[in-house]
Amino acid sequence: MIKKVTPRRTGEFLIAMTLVTGMTAGFASSASAAAPAPYEGRACSYNEIGDQVFTVESASVSPVVTHFTSFYVTTGTLSENTYRLNVVDRVGTSINGQSNASETLFEQVTRTVGFSVRKDESTTNTEDLTVKWRFSSPGYYGLYKGTKRVTGTFSHAVCSPGWGYPRYVRRGSGTYVTFGPIEEGTVRCVDVLPARTVRRAAQVVLGCPAPTAPATGKTDEKPAAKAGAH
């Protein structure tokens, strides 16, 4: 949780969200809290009126390729060329579906997912770009630029005057979108890459089939185990 004194408006976004517990982070997954957060209903001082406590309820991380091109390097090629990457996707920061930023909220998202996310009103480059790469090995390549998109839900409570004493009051809930560091590089279908990475996502854009090595390894082990039992 993050506690910070801020105005009631952040840019054009009127802050009015709920405070609940249960931060979760995962790939292409989301979760919501079942229990109320400890700050809801907690007493606060008159000096704290207007203070806000943010809670990230869920966080879903998915790799996304934002720029891409493919090409074939023939045998004997040894040169440095300039390649044009086309925009294939865009990612920005938004709150409740509107382009917006909240440093306080996205600092909490950073802690939840374990890597730095953008906290300003930024987007990935929406223009086509060019890069220089040098290739000497023949093969079919994908040249990419991408990042990790983070989506989820959040809530917060505000210290408000109450009956006899101020307390943290629930104000609603919202959704957010942001993204992590930019990554760029090349991929080939022969590369064995971890799942849920930007490089693997680039392989999918390149049209590479899903890896089959793990399934082959399991079938090789079963006959040996049966033979040892006899």
Side-chain angles (χ1 to χ4, degrees), residues 127-195:
E127 302 296 329
D128 294 351
L129 56 86
T130 58
V131 295
K132 282 188 176 181
W133 281 86
R134 184 182 179 91
F135 296 94
S136 58
S137 300
Y140 191 44
Y141 289 85
L143 185 57
Y144 73 92
K145 183 176 180 181
T147 185
K148 291 181 179 179
R149 178 190 281 123
V150 184
T151 61
T153 58
F154 70 98
S155 59
H156 86 310
V158 179
C159 178
S160 304
W163 293 99
Y165 63 90
R167 61 190 177 90
Y168 282 99
V169 178
R170 205 173 154 162
R171 294 297 187 190
S173 61
T175 61
Y176 66 87
V177 179
T178 185
F179 60 96
I182 301 299
E183 176 185 328
E184 61 181 35
T186 62
V187 292
R188 299 178 303 166
C189 289
V190 295
D191 299 332
V192 179
L193 303 173

Side-chain angles (χ1 to χ4, degrees), residues 15-127:
I15 299 176
M17 277 142 287
T18 315
L19 178 65
V20 289
T21 56
M23 295 182 297
T24 61
F27 290 93
S29 63
S30 61
S32 59
Y39 266 91
E40 185 180 347
R42 181 182 295 186
C44 51
S45 69
Y46 285 98
N47 292 333
E48 294 175 310
I49 291 177
D51 284 15
Q52 304 172 69
V53 181
F54 285 84
T55 298
V56 174
E57 298 177 344
S58 65
S60 175
V61 181
S62 58
V64 56
V65 176
T66 58
H67 299 74
F68 187 84
T69 191
S70 59
F71 50 89
Y72 184 77
V73 177
T74 59
T75 303
T77 300
L78 180 59
S79 63
E80 183 178 75
N81 294 314
T82 299
Y83 299 91
R84 181 182 181 88
L85 277 70
N86 300 314
V87 174
V88 295
D89 205 341
R90 296 178 175 87
V91 186
T93 54
S94 65
I95 297 174
N96 285 346
Q98 298 183 354
S99 178
N100 215 307
S102 169
E103 184 174 353
T104 305
L105 170 61
F106 290 133
E107 283 177 353
Q108 178 68 4
V109 175
T110 291
R111 292 184 177 90
T112 303
V113 299
F115 58 84
S116 178
V117 301
R118 297 304 297 261
K119 305 175 181 66
D120 54 3
E121 294 184 26
S122 58
T123 63
T124 56
N125 188 0
T126 58
E127 302 296 329

